[in-house]
PDB file of all heavy atoms in Angstrom:
ATOM      1  N   ILE A  35      -9.792   7.765 -17.093  1.00  0.00           N
ATOM      2  CA  ILE A  35     -11.214   8.075 -17.182  1.00  0.00           C
ATOM      3  C   ILE A  35     -11.513   9.020 -18.349  1.00  0.00           C
ATOM      4  O   ILE A  35     -12.464   8.814 -19.099  1.00  0.00           O
ATOM      5  CB  ILE A  35     -11.709   8.676 -15.851  1.00  0.00           C
ATOM      6  CG1 ILE A  35     -11.621   7.624 -14.752  1.00  0.00           C
ATOM      7  CG2 ILE A  35     -13.128   9.183 -15.978  1.00  0.00           C
ATOM      8  CD1 ILE A  35     -11.816   8.165 -13.369  1.00  0.00           C
ATOM      9  N   LEU A  68       5.870  16.557  -9.213  1.00  0.00           N
ATOM     10  CA  LEU A  68       7.012  17.266  -8.645  1.00  0.00           C
ATOM     11  C   LEU A  68       6.575  18.554  -7.954  1.00  0.00           C
ATOM     12  O   LEU A  68       7.030  18.857  -6.841  1.00  0.00           O
ATOM     13  CB  LEU A  68       8.041  17.575  -9.735  1.00  0.00           C
ATOM     14  CG  LEU A  68       9.258  18.386  -9.311  1.00  0.00           C
ATOM     15  CD1 LEU A  68      10.110  17.590  -8.326  1.00  0.00           C
ATOM     16  CD2 LEU A  68      10.064  18.779 -10.520  1.00  0.00           C
ATOM     17  N   LYS A  84       9.245  22.452  14.423  1.00  0.00           N
ATOM     18  CA  LYS A  84       9.574  22.406  15.856  1.00  0.00           C
ATOM     19  C   LYS A  84       9.020  21.174  16.565  1.00  0.00           C
ATOM     20  O   LYS A  84       9.113  21.071  17.773  1.00  0.00           O
ATOM     21  CB  LYS A  84       9.061  23.668  16.542  1.00  0.00           C
ATOM     22  CG  LYS A  84       9.785  24.905  16.054  1.00  0.00           C
ATOM     23  CD  LYS A  84       9.404  26.117  16.813  1.00  0.00           C
ATOM     24  CE  LYS A  84      10.183  27.316  16.275  1.00  0.00           C
ATOM     25  NZ  LYS A  84       9.898  28.521  16.989  1.00  0.00           N
TER      26      LYS A  84
END
Side-chain angles (χ1 to χ4, degrees):
I35 294 168
L68 177 66
K84 294 186 179 182

